[in-house]
Amino acid sequence: MTYSRQYDARLDVVDVTDEVAAELDDSAETETVTVFVDHTTAGVVINEAEPRLLDDIRAFLSNTVPDEGWRHDQLDGNADSHLRALLLGPSETIPVVDGELVLGRWQSVLLVDCDGPRERTVRVV
């Protein structure tokens, strides 16, 4: 199962929990689901979707990986995006019980786009 969505900012963090939950098989009693973004400049993480924390995640990634000064920039100017995504990883595996994601009270599935704006495909398998 896949879905696509256009994100607006160069570095953005988007709560995709509801979209992931909508892809689940309601008949499944117990299983796991993997949420995977098939791009080298985006990642999937589980964390709190509180707006100030999302701003902090953006700031953390920007401060940890400077925008410029990378050799790959000579090719296409987005080395920072690749390096930020490297810190995040492309997927998360989540338990599913009775057709629902098993997440902690404050946990959300977040898509972190490090090289927007562009359309991203997230696979839920």
Side-chain angles (χ1 to χ4, degrees):
M1 294 175 267
T2 65
Y3 65 92
S4 299
R5 183 170 160 190
Q6 176 74 36
Y7 297 93
D8 298 328
R10 169 128 165 97
L11 178 57
D12 206 359
V13 184
V14 181
D15 184 351
V16 295
T17 308
D18 290 341
E19 291 94 334
V20 170
E23 296 290 332
L24 298 178
D25 180 359
D26 293 338
S27 66
E29 292 181 24
T30 303
E31 64 179 2
T32 60
V33 63
T34 298
V35 182
F36 177 79
V37 61
D38 58 356
H39 304 275
T40 60
T41 57
V44 175
V45 298
I46 295 176
N47 214 306
E48 187 174 348
E50 191 277 322
R52 290 167 291 200
L53 181 60
L54 300 181
D55 288 341
D56 290 340
I57 292 169
R58 291 180 197 98
F60 168 77
L61 291 169
S62 293
N63 292 335
T64 302
V65 180
D67 292 343
E68 299 174 352
W70 306 102
R71 292 187 62 210
H72 181 72
D73 287 339
Q74 297 168 359
L75 179 63
D76 59 9
N78 69 346
D80 60 312
S81 301
H82 288 282
L83 296 170
R84 290 171 183 158
L86 180 72
L87 295 173
L88 304 168
S91 67
E92 290 284 351
T93 299
I94 306 163
V96 175
V97 174
D98 296 329
E100 295 188 20
L101 295 170
V102 178
L103 293 168
R105 179 176 182 171
W106 302 110
Q107 290 182 318
S108 296
V109 183
L110 306 175
L111 172 65
V112 184
D113 188 345
C114 301
D115 193 23
R118 62 179 65 218
E119 185 173 282
R120 297 296 188 176
T121 300
V122 177
R123 300 183 188 279
V124 180
V125 294

